[in-house]
């Protein structure tokens, strides 16, 4: 009888450990791809918007320390979501993802009234982003 109780206890322990291990493994398997994480995409688009504006508008410059800090915070966010550093680096270097973010930023800028070739439209959009306090605006500084 004691042997049966001991075997039953061992089976219960093994079953419990298996369930606990499965519970830990499932979230890792259930992660959405980085490209489908809206916070990451939105942040990268905002960064691209800010970068495009500062490169085009002569009266707007970048807040480089702020941009660097926010980029590092975004990388940490991704790691906190369970993505590895290698996955994050591969995503950031992927030419297809860069093109996707660039296209989303161009669409955002067009919606904000930017007209390609019209420098003042970039400046106006940049000043509006700064005034609204958007993520893109927080990366910029206007000298006007």
């Amino acid at each position: 009888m004691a042997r049966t109780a001991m075997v039953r206890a061992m089976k219960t322990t093994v079953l419990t450990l298996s369930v606990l291990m499965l519970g830990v493994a499932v979230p890792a398997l259930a992660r959405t791809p980085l490209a489908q994480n809206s916070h990451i995409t939105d942040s990268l688009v905002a960064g691209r918007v800010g970068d495009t504006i500062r490169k085009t508008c002569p009266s707007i410059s970048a807040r480089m320390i702020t941009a660097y800090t926010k980029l590092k915070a975004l990388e940490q966010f991704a790691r906190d979501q369970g993505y590895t550093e290698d996955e994050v680096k591969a995503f950031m270097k992927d030419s297809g993802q860069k093109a996707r973010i660039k296209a989303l930023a161009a669409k955002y800028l067009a919606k904000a009234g930017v007209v390609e070739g019209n420098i003042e439209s970039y400046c106006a959009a940049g000043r509006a982003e700064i005034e609204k306090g958007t993520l893109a605006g927080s990366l910029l500084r206007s000298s006007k």
Side-chain angles (χ1 to χ4, degrees):
M1 186 73 118
R3 181 160 167 75
T4 305
M6 186 163 69
V7 169
R8 193 175 308 132
M10 286 177 67
K11 284 181 180 179
T12 301
T13 301
V14 169
L15 180 62
T16 301
L17 286 173
S18 297
V19 169
L20 287 173
M21 289 173 66
L22 182 61
V24 169
V26 168
L29 295 173
R31 286 182 310 162
T32 59
L34 277 165
Q36 294 175 11
N37 185 303
S38 61
H39 175 71
I40 291 172
T41 295
D42 293 346
S43 297
L44 292 173
V45 168
R48 178 66 187 198
V49 165
D51 193 47
T52 300
I53 289 170
R54 70 129 182 139
K55 285 180 177 177
T56 309
C57 177
S59 64
I60 293 183
S61 60
R63 295 179 182 270
M64 294 305 277
I65 294 172
T66 300
Y68 179 80
T69 301
K70 289 186 185 276
L71 177 61
K72 290 301 172 187
L74 185 60
E75 289 173 353
Q76 186 60 51
F77 170 82
R79 285 192 296 278
D80 290 346
Q81 298 300 305
Y83 301 102
T84 67
E85 191 166 339
D86 287 342
E87 288 173 315
V88 172
K89 284 181 181 179
F91 176 77
M92 298 297 282
K93 290 179 180 182
D94 183 273
S95 60
Q97 292 305 322
K98 286 180 182 182
R100 182 179 73 87
I101 296 299
K102 185 177 180 179
L104 290 170
K107 187 176 180 179
Y108 181 97
L109 286 166
K111 188 175 179 182
V114 167
V115 176
E116 196 169 329
N118 180 335
I119 293 173
E120 181 49 39
S121 69
Y122 286 87
C123 297
R127 288 189 299 271
E129 294 291 318
I130 293 168
E131 188 176 310
K132 288 188 264 183
T134 65
L135 178 54
S138 73
L139 305 173
L140 302 171
R141 168 183 301 122
S142 177
S143 60
K144 257 190 172 180

